[in-house]
Amino acid sequence: MQLVEREKLDKRIETLKQCYGNDRSALLPILQDLQAEYGLLTGLIMQETAHALGIHPVEVEGVATFYSFLRTDQKQGKYVIRLCRTISCDLAGKARVARQFENELGIRFGETTKDGLFTLEYTNCLGMCDQGPAVMINDRLFAKVTPQMVPQIIMDCRQDFLKTVFPEITPSDVQKEGPILKNALPFGEGLKKALTLSRSDVIATIREAGLKGRGGAGFPTATKWQLAGTAVSDTKYVVCNADEGEPGTFKDRYLLHAQTDLLLAGMTIAGYAIGAQKGYLYLRGEYLYLRKHLEKSIEKRRQSGLLGKDIQGKKGFSFDVELRLGAGAYICGEETALIESLEGQRGEPRNRPPFPVDTGFMGNPTIVNNVETFIDAAIICAKGPAWFAEYGTEKSKGTKLFSISGDCKKPGIYELPFGITVQELLEEVGGEDAKAVQIGGASGHCIPAPEFKRNIAFEDISSGGSIIVFGKNRDMLQVAKNFMEFFTEESCGQCTPCREGNIKILEGIELLEKGRCSTSYLNELIRLGETMQLASKCGLGQSSPNAFLSIVEHFKNEILGRVPEAV
Amino acid sequence: MANILIVDDDQDFVEAVKSVLVSGGHRVVAAYSRETGMDAVKKENPDLMILDVMMEQPDDGFAMAHDLRKAEFKKPILMLSSVGTISGMTFDKDSDMNPVDAFEEKPIKPERLLAKVKELLGA
Ligand SMILES: Cc1cc2nc3c(=O)[nH]c(=O)nc-3n(C[C@H](O)[C@H](O)[C@H](O)COP(=O)(O)O)c2cc1C
Ligand code: SF4
């Protein structure tokens, strides 16, 4: 019996290799498919996969245990219920929904029911921050879940979702469109225009537009493309960072669905400009439900001659896009960790330099850009750099998509010009009463009311688009706690300041909660946070103390000397 | 004798190159950024340019070479940069992406610099 099982498994792995490739970079997708089929990555599965790819089984186990969506211990249930525990869903009442799921199923989070039907888990941001609390069950999404809805949801699962009609994709709330979202470009237009230009003219166009990366760091896009494009190498890669894991961000989720063609056009234009033949779209595992739509869109472009060989009749220009899924690791949004993950490794950030433009995917020049950056680039090629540069500020040209959630009347997606003040933004979204706003997600900054005159732009408060509004009655210590729990969980653990520092700060917050933290210890924690900003290896540890530090700075009176409620 | 413009943000390096080229009988003018470099080209109308890559932006030299050729600047450009060592990538001249006449890695020996300049001016 064992032998038959093994043969069956080996055959299956061979089929998967034909689909994903023979080298190590095929490891993650192979494990993901095997997990979906077997419910668990057993020792035998890991061993056979290792043999098939010519690597040591320990390497496979190392990868399998890194990603939270892969399981090596307990078999997952037929239905994996993942409740978002990120700040926006927390503000929207996640705790009561969690409790009701536990009550209905008779298990705790992290457990599977005895009949093997249900596994209950927490997950980080599902990108539904404006419609929380959000729950994902296998590849289905449930928005605005209330405790009352929980028994019905479980009943639906028991009936294999047969009774429920689901939209293919839960629509996003777009509250304000600007020139980018209203682009009205016909199918294929962005790419057509770009291919009339020389490679260097494409890059000059992006440079003239002043486009800076929309993923948060704001690195000039043309510079990245120029360096990769000028480097002498036969093999280069374009990677789209669709790992959108920053708590409170959901604009890429929308763009991936609503502007798919422009995204793929932007990637193809980048491929042309830098001289790459292959692109990867790295989609976070939490957005599994977008997979079918994206694969369909890629296929449609192949059929229309917009992907593949000699694109649009341009001899010698070939480019194709492959979709790769993440597996529940926020750190894989960091570009070098993302590349490691694509290569079939644990998603641990690399030392920089060298930068990905140099030693990127498989050691080749690689550009990594955010979803929105590629879309902007495609529109810029079609409409010209001057059109784009009309919006925004001198140093932050264009408009930006913001994901707004938290305590405001009109949460959702907004396209607004760079340079807008926090106050203007709050008026736009109906959040004038806010006492603070978190800009740039958990790793961003907490801006208190006296600073609402500041501008959202790379030269002042930069942001990848996540804006979380905190109303008058929000407990800022709980906000800091939620963020630090997130970072403690998501730190890859490679370097000490981040691995240990996040835990220490979280413990400090728990002391503050109990009203048992002296100011001298708080000052120690502040120094620890500052050390982490300087000494951590990657952006996660360098920015994880930001929110805590700003909350301590601006809300000291609120967090010191607490008297816990008697239980 | 040739009129040479060097555009490089490293003042010490500019001084060193200047003294080598002056000893070779050339007249040398320097600019320290892409922007001032473009102005200097118009003013000086140099016979040859020596261009760094990583200045304010890490790709300024590549961008400037592109802009110069767009502006019909036809004289030889010698790109002299450590961008390859710093970035770990290999760079060379390229008719579209890097329209210069020669690409040399920093540091460069004085004899090699003078020989390259002579070769480019002769071309
Ligand atoms: C911990 C961490 C998470 C990140 N997550 C994302 C992400 O989800 N999406 C993204 O585009 N960039 C993310 N980034 C930034 C990327 O490293 C990179 O700068 C970006 O993809 C570059 O694209 P851009 O220049 O178009 O912004 C993250 C960075 C860090 C340090
Ligand atoms: S800073 Fe944190 S996430 Fe980044 S490498 Fe170090 S431990 Fe890993």
Side-chain angles (χ1 to χ4, degrees):
Chain A
M1 182 61 190
Q2 176 80 346
L3 210 62
V4 178
E5 278 299 308
R6 182 187 298 235
E7 268 174 25
K8 233 172 85 186
L9 174 63
D10 288 347
K11 267 205 192 122
R12 182 69 190 125
I13 295 174
E14 273 314 307
T15 322
L16 290 173
K17 269 174 69 182
Q18 277 162 23
C19 184
Y20 298 118
N22 289 319
D23 58 46
R24 169 111 192 211
S25 70
L27 177 59
L28 198 52
I30 290 180
L31 291 181
Q32 285 165 326
D33 282 9
L34 291 175
Q35 149 120 0
E37 288 161 36
Y38 290 83
L40 174 74
L41 297 172
T42 59
L44 181 70
I45 292 178
M46 289 192 275
Q47 183 190 308
E48 294 305 291
T49 310
H51 287 165
L53 292 175
I55 50 179
H56 198 281
V58 168
E59 295 265 328
V60 176
E61 193 175 348
V63 170
T65 50
F66 182 84
Y67 295 93
S68 68
F69 280 14
L70 298 179
R71 301 175 151 262
T72 56
D73 44 10
Q74 196 192 17
K75 192 167 174 168
Q76 70 183 22
K78 182 173 176 197
Y79 296 102
V80 183
I81 301 176
R82 295 189 167 107
L83 172 65
C84 175
R85 65 171 156 201
T86 314
I87 185 83
S88 306
C89 285
D90 204 43
L91 299 182
K94 155 225 103 185
R96 289 180 53 219
V97 174
R99 188 161 276 234
Q100 202 51 38
F101 268 114
E102 289 184 337
N103 292 343
E104 299 295 331
L105 294 172
I107 52 169
R108 294 301 195 96
F109 274 78
E111 294 176 356
T112 300
T113 52
K114 284 212 179 72
D115 58 7
L117 261 187
F118 295 98
T119 296
L120 205 47
E121 281 184 352
Y122 280 119
T123 181
N124 287 323
C125 199
L126 288 173
M128 299 294 294
C129 321
D130 56 337
Q131 302 178 59
V135 172
M136 181 168 149
I137 304 180
N138 298 355
D139 61 353
R140 301 259 157 105
L141 254 189
F142 296 79
K144 296 185 183 165
V145 178
T146 58
Q148 200 182 336
M149 287 162 68
V150 170
Q152 185 57 46
I153 291 175
I154 290 171
M155 185 62 77
D156 280 352
C157 293
R158 288 193 196 280
Q159 294 170 349
D160 281 340
F161 296 122
L162 291 177
K163 291 245 163 75
T164 321
V165 182
F166 279 93
E168 190 191 350
I169 282 144
T170 311
S172 304
D173 243 334
V174 180
Q175 299 279 2
K176 182 156 190 161
E177 292 189 329
I180 291 292
L181 292 182
K182 284 190 201 153
N183 65 76
L185 283 174
F187 182 66
E189 186 69 10
L191 179 60
K192 209 194 284 172
K193 282 266 172 67
L195 292 183
T196 61
L197 302 174
S198 71
R199 290 173 52 206
S200 60
D201 281 339
V202 169
I203 295 175
T205 304
I206 302 294
R207 179 175 290 113
E208 207 185 320
L211 178 63
K212 290 185 175 173
R214 272 22 187 177
F219 190 80
T221 305
T223 298
K224 201 181 274 190
W225 292 18
Q226 178 82 59
L227 288 170
T230 313
V232 181
S233 172
D234 290 338
T235 315
K236 299 180 186 178
Y237 293 97
V238 170
V239 174
C240 173
N241 189 341
D243 198 49
E244 190 171 54
E246 191 61 54
T249 321
F250 47 92
K251 51 110 189 159
D252 289 347
R253 182 183 93 91
Y254 168 70
L255 290 173
L256 283 158
H257 183 236
Q259 302 286 345
T260 324
D261 280 311
L262 278 173
L263 164 64
L264 295 169
M267 289 181 71
T268 314
I269 292 168
Y272 171 64
I274 74 161
Q277 298 80 35
K278 177 93 192 245
Y280 285 100
L281 202 170
Y282 188 92
L283 180 71
R284 64 195 300 247
E286 290 84 344
Y287 290 176
L288 177 65
Y289 53 88
L290 288 171
R291 182 184 192 161
K292 265 193 220 136
H293 166 76
L294 288 166
E295 278 173 347
K296 249 196 268 169
S297 307
I298 292 172
E299 195 46 45
K300 184 176 166 203
R301 287 184 80 83
R302 283 189 194 126
Q303 301 301 331
S304 317
L306 299 170
L307 281 175
K309 277 215 162 82
D310 299 331
I311 293 175
Q312 296 229 298
K314 191 133 190 137
K315 277 266 165 281
F317 173 49
S318 301
F319 187 79
D320 208 343
V321 174
E322 189 177 329
L323 185 69
R324 282 288 163 99
L325 269 177
Y330 163 72
I331 189 59
C332 288
E334 196 280 338
E335 56 189 7
T336 63
L338 190 157
I339 290 171
E340 285 284 308
S341 178
L342 275 180
E343 290 181 359
Q345 310 279 355
R346 293 161 69 88
E348 290 172 346
R350 297 174 176 173
N351 283 328
R352 299 147 61 105
F355 292 93
V357 282
D358 152 26
T359 25
F361 183 60
M362 297 299 189
N364 297 297
T366 302
I367 58 144
V368 182
N369 277 122
N370 175 253
V371 174
E372 189 181 345
T373 311
F374 282 119
I375 291 171
D376 285 358
I379 301 178
I380 288 167
C381 285
K383 301 207 170 199
W387 171 85
F388 184 79
E390 246 177 61
Y391 306 91
T393 69
E394 183 53 32
K395 289 193 173 142
S396 309
K397 298 228 164 81
T399 58
K400 176 85 189 80
L401 260 68
F402 294 100
S403 319
I404 317 268
S405 63
D407 303 320
C408 60
K409 292 194 192 86
K410 294 178 283 173
I413 291 167
Y414 289 75
E415 183 185 346
L416 299 165
F418 268 124
I420 186 168
T421 64
V422 180
Q423 184 62 42
E424 286 163 344
L425 183 133
L426 285 171
E427 282 160 19
E428 189 83 49
V429 307
E432 294 91 335
D433 290 345
K435 76 168 172 192
V437 180
Q438 181 74 19
I439 299 181
S443 57
H445 290 272
C446 187
I447 307 296
E451 293 184 19
F452 284 176
K453 289 260 166 342
R454 290 177 63 184
N455 304 93
I456 303 177
F458 295 117
E459 59 271 30
D460 190 358
I461 317 170
S462 71
S463 161
S466 163
I467 310 263
I468 307 168
V469 183
F470 302 123
K472 286 254 174 304
N473 301 324
R474 283 297 162 198
D475 179 348
M476 297 312 286
L477 192 60
Q478 287 310 310
V479 170
K481 186 177 180 189
N482 183 293
F483 288 158
M484 290 321 291
E485 282 172 344
F486 170 75
F487 288 122
T488 305
E489 175 93 1
E490 296 296 334
S491 163
C492 84
Q494 251 193 113
C495 63
T496 317
C498 170
R499 184 184 61 238
E500 302 299 328
N502 285 315
I503 295 174
K504 282 287 158 209
I505 293 182
L506 180 57
E507 284 170 4
I509 291 174
E510 282 159 2
L511 285 180
L512 284 162
E513 247 183 333
K514 292 186 193 124
R516 292 278 171 234
C517 183
S518 65
T519 38
S520 68
Y521 187 61
L522 189 59
N523 288 336
E524 288 286 321
L525 291 174
I526 293 172
R527 274 199 292 280
L528 171 65
E530 288 163 354
T531 307
M532 289 166 67
Q533 288 174 325
L534 290 173
S536 295
K537 179 169 167 176
C538 85
L540 189 149
Q542 288 159 9
S543 58
S544 63
N546 290 354
F548 169 74
L549 292 174
S550 12
I551 287 172
V552 170
E553 186 187 341
H554 302 297
F555 298 96
K556 207 173 253 166
N557 212 23
E558 182 181 320
I559 63 175
L560 281 176
R562 292 198 170 201
V563 181
E565 280 173 33
V567 188
Chain B
M1 189 200 95
N3 195 15
I4 298 178
L5 170 66
I6 172 164
V7 182
D8 194 317
D9 62 343
D10 180 344
Q11 305 219 358
D12 293 340
F13 184 77
V14 169
E15 285 314 309
V17 170
K18 237 186 192 173
S19 68
V20 171
L21 294 174
V22 169
S23 76
H26 301 290
R27 178 177 172 268
V28 184
V29 186
Y32 302 96
S33 70
R34 182 177 147 204
E35 214 181 2
T36 54
M38 287 304 276
D39 292 340
V41 174
K42 278 189 214 131
K43 215 168 105 202
E44 300 292 333
N45 191 21
D47 305 313
L48 179 141
M49 273 191 66
I50 296 181
L51 183 55
D52 184 23
V53 175
M54 304 178 92
M55 292 184 274
E56 198 183 325
Q57 292 295 331
D59 65 332
D60 268 345
F62 297 137
M64 189 167 165
H66 174 268
D67 292 349
L68 283 168
R69 295 307 188 209
K70 277 265 147 180
E72 301 288 320
F73 179 79
K74 298 215 165 76
K75 305 283 177 51
I77 303 175
L78 166 59
M79 188 166 267
L80 193 51
S81 168
S82 48
V83 62
T85 327
I86 294 172
S87 70
M89 288 188 265
T90 315
F91 293 100
D92 206 345
K93 58 182 179 170
D94 176 301
S95 57
D96 181 18
M97 294 306 287
N98 192 20
V100 296
D101 299 274
F103 184 96
E104 289 287 318
E105 280 285 343
K106 276 182 189 171
I108 186 166
K109 290 231 158 41
E111 313 81 70
R112 187 171 170 87
L113 175 64
L114 286 170
K116 258 291 149 213
V117 165
K118 190 168 167 206
E119 178 194 322
L120 291 173
L121 286 170

